[in-house]
Amino acid sequence: MVSDNHPDHPLHRLNDDVLRMVCELLRPRGNLRPLSITCKWIRTACIPVLFRECIVQSKVVDRQYGRGFIPRSLWPYVCTLWFSGHFTRHEIEWLNIVHYHGLEDHDRAKEELHAMLVLVKQISNALRVTLGSMHALKSIRIFMTNQAVRAYHGSIYGISPYILEAIMSTPHLQRLSITGPLFHFRDSWPSDVAIPPLADLSIFTYCRNDIRSAAHVSHAEREEILHILARTHDRLEELDLPAECAPLDWMATWDWPSLRTLWLRGERAPSSLPLTYMLSKMPRLREASLLLAEPVNGGNSPMSRPSSSDSQVVCRDLEILNVAHPNPEDDLYSRLSRDLLCLALRCWPRYYKLHTRFEEEFSAAGVQWTSPLLSSSEMLRILRRVDAPQLYVMDLEFRADPGDTQLFRHIGSAFPALKFLCVHRYRMASETELPLIAIARALSSLQHLEVLMLHLDFLDLPDVGEPVVNDDHVYEVPPARAQQLADSDATLARAANVMAGLLGPSLQWLPLLRPTRDHEYQWVLFRIVRSTDAEDGDKVTAEHRWPWERKPGEPAFPYHSLLRDDD
């Protein structure tokens, strides 16, 4: 038997490139680590792939405070580094408590605050040296849940400016992703912290896990975002920001020659210019998602906002456009590319969430948002300007008016390539019966449509009560609630079967919305089944399917995540 380390072993005949390819193929399947422990020679070959991406706890930023950080011998191989949790060890937690409660007015607290700041600076210096020694490091991702960054007495403190400055000092950093709070609400930007040049940064992502108002954004957070974008806007290729902290007026004045993806989501920050002015500065933009909630009494609703009449606003390369509360007067939609593939014109949050039992969630977060809902006729005015014969995904949200049938007929004729269509249609006040047949017939010309997701705002949809928790802290479904769910399913099933036989032959799935906040799946999924009956001939039915339920040979629903929450 030939030893693995023997020079005549067959594995030694593989050159380095082939062996690296073997490692790459094994890594996604979780088989690389078992291979790496077979022998020393194989482990050496696996190390560059095995440790290319590493995850560490944020509170362990150097070996001095624990063995959880990456050994120095592996630093040359790390290309992507994930920090999980907050950057606060036990000693610094007290600093945040002092800061949060304003105890720095007391002499003792001031001394402790100074001592803790010294400690934070020591940690940031150690982190700067560590990251600077990882010469292959190109991507840093920080992930903090709200639970992970919540200190005593409910204080959410995020990342210290000193820690953040150390991270941004990483040479050749191309991607920086932060999920979770950036700063404590009380933070101000320290005078001894300077943002370093970010010459290579091409992807910047900052996502929050919570809902908040623009009034709850600290000055330090706004200043940090402004400085980062001011130094990188001419090189950034991807940008994802909470809308409430985005410097919109500044962004509209900068050139973005390389930007291909733009995501803004959250409460719209005050601005003097329409968002579409920014698009004229982004000639290579391919995906734009502008999901901005409208604050109550914001004084600048989409209806009163000036339209983008600047002839430079031409989105030649745009393939995906997602706009909340679109302005029917905006000429942007007549200048979209004919190669547009995905278009969403909707509310954010969804209208039913903001104006139903979901409203209490937003009130608890201290936000006051409105949802200016377009009518069918206003939505039709926008879509008549869109010339996109290759469009295959569409998402619309509106309130029905007498022009409702014309809107659906226009969708059926103007966008023949549609494969996925999601419609949130809210009924007219005088409407007692939904026009299911009229809607289905209007959309029957869509010969490639595979998925039709509908929220039809049923008048007679039974309300579903809350579940109860028993003494063992287990959710139970009371008999009354079980009956409500069954009645609700029956109502949706009748509607699905009325429409199924009238829609095009390519339709495979027909999910209908049941807006129940506490239910795991808001969308009730129906599978379109076609069969031939000896007496009745061809027969089309809509059969209820649970998302995890599949019959042999049946494909999985392709938009599974949307069934839980389409936001």
Side-chain angles (χ1 to χ4, degrees), residues 109-124:
K110 287 183 178 180
E111 293 177 1
E112 293 178 345
L113 180 62
H114 175 74
M116 294 304 162
L117 282 175
V118 171
L119 179 60
V120 170
K121 292 179 182 180
Q122 290 176 350
I123 295 174
S124 66

Side-chain angles (χ1 to χ4, degrees), residues 236-248:
L236 278 180
E237 298 177 9
E238 296 183 22
L239 176 62
D240 187 343
L241 284 179
E244 63 271 10
C245 68
L248 299 179

Side-chain angles (χ1 to χ4, degrees), residues 93-134:
E93 287 180 354
W94 171 245
L95 167 65
N96 291 281
I97 298 171
V98 171
H99 194 186
Y100 178 72
H101 290 285
L103 300 180
E104 56 267 36
D105 293 335
H106 303 285
D107 292 339
R108 180 179 176 183
K110 287 183 178 180
E111 293 177 1
E112 293 178 345
L113 180 62
H114 175 74
M116 294 304 162
L117 282 175
V118 171
L119 179 60
V120 170
K121 292 179 182 180
Q122 290 176 350
I123 295 174
S124 66
N125 291 333
L127 182 62
R128 183 183 294 104
V129 172
T130 299
L131 298 180
S133 301
M134 296 181 177

